[in-house]
Amino acid sequence: MQRLHEELDKLARFSSSEYPSVTRVLYTQNDLEARQYFISLCEDLNLKVRIDPIGNTYARWEGAEPKLAAIGTGSHIDAIPLSGQYDGTVGVFGALEAIRYLKSINFKPKRSIELVLFTAEEPTRFAIGCLGSRMMSGQLKLEQALKLKDKEGNFLNDVRIEAGFKGDLNEVELSKDYYHAFIELHIEQGPRLEKEGLDIGIVSKIAAPSTLRVNLIGEGGHAGAVLMPIRKDAGIAGAEIMIAVERIAKKSNSDDTVGTTGIFDILPRAVNSIPKEAYLEIDLRDTNIETRDKALSDLKQEIAEICEKRNIKYSIEILNCDPPAICDSQLVNTIEKVTNSLGYSSKIMASHAYHDSLFMAQLFPTTMIFIPSKDGVSHRPDEYSSPEQIEKGVKTLALTLKEIDG
Ligand code: HGY
Ligand code: MN
Ligand code: MN
Ligand code: MN
């Protein structure tokens, strides 16, 4: 499978940051070039390629009975700033390799096998993750999608058309019988498989993510002349909120509750000017929806109290607040059998990261195959899975696709 590793290394260079970091943001030049590279490899394999109006790209290996619902697999190739080269890409290029492998053992599928490159799994440009799969599952409606703007104020609809993706956005949604099953190969992005010396993770559930946008408005003013007791400092209020996010996540009775303030901007950003405005984007998750929602309501309560105490005006926008996904137990068992037949060690586990499978699971029987992440690292340039680990994931995916082609 040497070819796969060369392709992943070549793909990593379609980036607006220096290798080994990867930055590949939705509809930017390097995203479009990476997509073209992927499509050229699909065409080399005689897969039938179709691109939907938001850029979800489908590459189909026609089965002997094309009228039967296809089996879907795939992931994403967009990458957040200064991240790594394996998040998502292993599930796209690894699935391509799985198809090559099945062709090499002369497997002839009854059901078509369709490889999906999902548009914008990462929230980087339009602040909402899984944009493509949300629309495929009908979770993101047209009127909501048309309101999405990036930080420069460009509307999603304008940007996608400018990037060459035409057509009616209503056509993105898939019917419930479109796929027979969906399986995503992905790096674990955490430490468990490596720590337990296991080859494969089989995903039983996918965490429930939520994202909040908080705008804070204070009074600002001169850093010398405005004395401490009368200040309305939006920056400090933001800092208190950031600490509250950590405290609420830590005090939860579940280890799976995680809270992160990944974006925290203050204005006017002058050393001798009291921050007048602050802007935070907060990510709050748990594998259990009640626990996540409790953390969310605690946080909203604390934001109100902090702003009340500091005389800060505030607004909270919930960008997404999704249920967890429960994966299909039959698929999970099938993958367990496949790993046993291959002599790979495996465990059934929850995914703390979200994935496009979170939305595929709303429509079809779905699960995921994880491979280990070195030191549990992801969303960093030193993100790494070895060629052997990737190959075990590809083999497991290939034989699972073959196994469920019933
Ligand atoms: O944030 C996530 O869980 C995913 O990697 N986008
Ligand atoms: Mn990611
Ligand atoms: Mn990913
Ligand atoms: Mn993901």
Side-chain angles (χ1 to χ4, degrees):
M1 294 189 185
Q2 183 47 31
R3 201 170 147 179
L4 167 60
H5 308 306
E6 287 156 11
E7 289 166 356
L8 286 170
D9 282 343
K10 182 171 172 187
L11 177 65
R13 270 66 179 189
F14 293 106
S15 163
S16 55
S17 59
E18 267 308 288
Y19 186 80
S21 85
V22 181
T23 304
R24 195 160 44 237
V25 178
L26 176 66
Y27 300 146
T28 56
Q29 195 48 33
N30 47 69
D31 175 38
L32 300 176
E33 286 166 8
R35 288 163 176 267
Q36 281 314 316
Y37 174 51
F38 166 68
I39 289 169
S40 69
L41 297 177
C42 293
E43 287 165 347
D44 294 349
L45 266 178
N46 299 318
L47 303 181
K48 245 167 71 195
V49 176
R50 142 177 110 80
I51 303 172
D52 80 6
I54 195 97
N56 294 310
T57 303
Y58 300 80
R60 182 171 278 232
W61 178 14
E62 195 95 310
E65 299 181 36
K67 290 215 175 4
L68 289 176
I71 298 168
T73 184
S75 192
H76 65 98
I77 63 168
D78 60 321
I80 68 171
L82 304 179
S83 61
Q85 73 175 90
Y86 300 100
D87 173 4
T89 58
V90 162
V92 179
F93 283 59
L96 212 48
E97 185 63 30
I99 290 173
R100 277 191 210 120
Y101 173 75
L102 288 171
K103 284 178 178 250
S104 75
I105 59 170
N106 252 331
F107 171 65
K108 301 260 182 289
K110 194 165 75 158
R111 293 174 181 276
S112 301
I113 291 176
E114 188 163 73
L115 169 44
V116 188
L117 180 159
F118 292 97
T119 260
E121 191 270 355
E122 298 295 3
T124 312
R125 181 146 192 193
F126 291 99
I128 187 164
C130 300
L131 179 61
S133 49
R134 271 177 203 279
M135 292 195 77
M136 288 154 92
S137 67
Q139 194 280 332
L140 183 71
K141 295 296 176 211
L142 180 63
E143 56 280 8
Q144 291 165 294
L146 293 177
K147 281 189 207 134
L148 291 177
K149 276 193 292 189
D150 66 14
K151 288 195 176 58
E152 289 69 41
N154 306 302
F155 281 95
L156 164 68
N157 202 35
D158 299 339
V159 178
R160 64 130 187 153
I161 291 169
E162 216 174 288
F165 300 102
K166 308 240 177 309
D168 175 355
L169 286 179
N170 282 308
E171 281 157 26
V172 175
E173 190 169 348
L174 300 178
S175 62
K176 272 203 175 297
D177 57 2
Y178 185 81
Y179 284 135
H180 170 63
F182 186 85
I183 300 171
E184 180 173 3
L185 171 61
H186 203 285
I187 56 173
E188 180 200 338
Q189 299 182 294
R192 291 167 287 173
L193 290 177
E194 181 182 69
K195 222 154 93 200
E196 296 173 40
L198 297 169
D199 297 318
I200 297 289
I202 308 168
V203 175
S204 52
K205 68 186 302 193
I206 303 172
S210 66
T211 318
L212 301 86
R213 179 179 273 164
V214 181
N215 276 293
L216 304 173
I217 311 261
E219 248 173 23
H222 193 289
V226 180
L227 303 182
M228 297 313 280
I230 57 165
R231 289 187 173 198
K232 294 177 185 170
D233 183 333
I236 296 280
E240 270 204 81
I241 290 168
M242 195 169 187
I243 290 171
V245 169
E246 182 193 48
R247 180 172 5 90
I248 288 166
K250 279 185 168 174
K251 83 169 184 348
S252 155
N253 54 16
S254 144
D255 293 346
D256 289 350
T257 311
V258 284
T260 314
T261 305
I263 296 176
F264 181 12
D265 298 330
I266 56 176
L267 287 173
R269 280 177 53 75
V271 69
N272 56 350
S273 171
I274 303 164
K276 181 172 181 335
E277 290 181 46
Y279 171 82
L280 295 84
E281 281 186 22
I282 298 164
D283 179 311
L284 201 54
R285 317 179 190 198
D286 192 277
T287 49
N288 173 297
I289 193 161
E290 286 76 29
T291 316
R292 194 278 312 276
D293 287 348
K294 165 95 177 61
L296 203 48
S297 73
D298 289 354
L299 178 59
K300 285 191 254 185
Q301 173 70 25
E302 289 228 24
I303 291 172
E305 286 161 8
I306 291 165
C307 291
E308 161 91 12
K309 178 182 72 176
R310 293 181 172 277
N311 270 317
I312 298 289
K313 287 198 211 67
Y314 74 96
S315 66
I316 300 176
E317 189 187 349
I318 305 282
L319 297 171
N320 66 284
C321 185
D322 305 294
I326 306 299
C327 297
D328 180 80
S329 53
Q330 239 182 315
L331 283 177
V332 169
N333 296 337
T334 303
I335 296 175
E336 215 172 15
K337 275 200 221 104
V338 166
T339 53
N340 294 340
S341 70
L342 285 164
Y344 298 162
S345 54
S346 69
K347 77 178 270 184
I348 295 172
M349 59 198 283
S351 170
H352 291 134
Y354 63 72
H355 304 279
D356 292 303
S357 291
L358 182 69
F359 296 95
M360 291 294 100
Q362 292 187 10
L363 293 176
F364 320 112
T366 295
T367 186
M368 297 183 75
I369 296 167
F370 273 175
I371 61 170
S373 292
K374 186 169 176 318
D375 304 330
V377 159
S378 180
H379 282 188
R380 276 180 14 193
D382 52 340
E383 176 183 273
Y384 181 74
S385 296
S386 71
E388 298 71 31
Q389 290 169 333
I390 294 171
E391 288 175 20
K392 287 184 179 173
V394 169
K395 273 271 179 67
T396 304
L397 175 64
L399 297 187
T400 304
L401 295 172
K402 180 168 179 288
E403 190 62 31
I404 60 176
D405 180 32

